[in-house]
Amino acid sequence: MRNPTIKDVAKWSGVSLKTVSRVINREASVRTDTREKVERAIEALGYQPNPSARGLRSTHAYAIGLVYDNPNAHYVISMQDGVLSACRERGFGLQIHPCDSTSPGLADELCSLVERNRLAGLVLAPPMSEQADLVATLMEQGISFVRIISSREDPHDGSPCVYVDDRSAAYAITEHLIQLGHKRIGFLWGEPHHRSSPERYQGYANALKDYGIALDKKLVLPGRYAFDDGFRGARKLLALKDPPTAIFGSNDEIAAGVLAAARSSGLDVPWDLSIAGFEDSPFSKQAWPALTTARQSTSEIGRHAALHLMADLQRETGESNGAPSNECFIPELVVRGSTAPPQNNTPPRKT
């Protein structure tokens, strides 16, 4: 027989996982009848709470962890800067933990990380933050965390998060290209296991649909958030019998690869080919021409995620009241020199 879990206690007593966690941690905010019901369930099931998770709260651990798996150095550094800024504001230490998001032992690795380093909680960056099984395990173990996810709206799934509306930003980029007069717009994906990739693709597809432009699947290619994928993808698109007049790379590294491919093909950017990226990395400003992109405030996203986690921790230990609300960030369209109207074309109108 398997050992009972916090999920079993929640189901037996008819309350949420969070309520069970509050009872285990002896929070004063739990109603007496609810507390007694949960305690009866714990006794009946023989549930043994995770001792490390309880110890974190009883000893007031003042360090948090940032967990990430992202090949984009600019993203990682900006995220670290934001989380570290919040830690300095509130007097917390920071443990940075790069990991392999595809590892089958990731959940155990993170639970061990928290126990070994006595961390009060975790900030989960994509794609770990978007793995339902991992999130469920952390909740089951009573580990506090805040996710950074790609979502058009608040998921309202009972799990704290900071969400980024990649879809609306990708729509704005595609709409910008359409309003310039482009009808054949290529799209290069990032990693499919990052939710930002399908969200950005959906924004691109929605803009085409709203302007009455048929989506040509030959103009959409899979890939990764990497320069080489942008270069290879652009060469394939430019070799088509009817090539695109604009290419939207899912991030600035992809767009940089597109720019290199355009130059190697003797094309003049933006007059022969318009190029747009996503993120507003340093390269997007330093390239020639500078890249049209979406400005994603990665540092601020990280900072707010860390502050959200700290507010949750203070509430759980009775130092503050009220749960912080999930926050939304929408990357902002930044128009630069890499996009221009195509030659001899009339912009379509929105339908």
Side-chain angles (χ1 to χ4, degrees), residues 138-213:
L138 295 179
M139 291 182 70
E140 182 176 307
Q141 293 300 316
I143 295 174
S144 297
F145 62 87
V146 168
R147 300 176 299 148
I148 298 171
I149 64 173
S150 176
S151 180
R152 189 181 180 189
E153 57 190 18
D154 190 336
H156 293 296
D157 57 3
S159 177
C161 71
V162 171
Y163 59 103
V164 182
D165 188 356
D166 290 287
R167 187 184 303 191
S168 293
Y171 185 105
I173 289 173
T174 309
E175 183 176 52
H176 163 68
L177 294 170
I178 292 171
Q179 290 179 346
L180 286 174
H182 296 279
K183 298 176 183 176
R184 290 189 61 75
I185 303 170
F187 182 87
L188 299 180
W189 274 66
E191 274 89 352
H193 61 282
H194 283 252
R195 193 185 294 172
S196 59
S197 293
E199 284 294 313
R200 292 172 191 180
Y201 171 74
Q202 195 59 55
Y204 158 82
N206 288 351
L208 294 180
K209 181 180 179 181
D210 287 351
Y211 280 87
I213 300 173

Side-chain angles (χ1 to χ4, degrees), residues 87-169:
C87 287
R88 285 171 174 163
E89 285 180 37
R90 301 297 173 87
F92 275 72
L94 176 63
Q95 174 82 36
I96 296 171
H97 186 75
C99 63
D100 179 2
S101 61
T102 63
S103 170
L106 180 58
D108 290 339
E109 177 185 337
L110 296 187
C111 291
S112 176
L113 171 74
V114 170
E115 180 176 3
R116 185 175 63 252
N117 296 284
R118 298 185 58 76
L119 301 179
L122 300 173
V123 173
L124 299 177
M128 285 77 61
S129 57
E130 298 161 347
Q131 296 179 4
D133 289 346
L134 174 62
V135 169
T137 299
L138 295 179
M139 291 182 70
E140 182 176 307
Q141 293 300 316
I143 295 174
S144 297
F145 62 87
V146 168
R147 300 176 299 148
I148 298 171
I149 64 173
S150 176
S151 180
R152 189 181 180 189
E153 57 190 18
D154 190 336
H156 293 296
D157 57 3
S159 177
C161 71
V162 171
Y163 59 103
V164 182
D165 188 356
D166 290 287
R167 187 184 303 191
S168 293

Side-chain angles (χ1 to χ4, degrees), residues 214-236:
L215 196 159
D216 185 345
K217 293 186 178 179
K218 294 191 295 293
L219 297 180
V220 179
L221 295 179
R224 300 173 300 125
Y225 285 125
F227 177 95
D228 290 346
D229 287 69
F231 185 88
R232 286 192 293 265
R235 291 297 292 262
K236 289 179 182 178

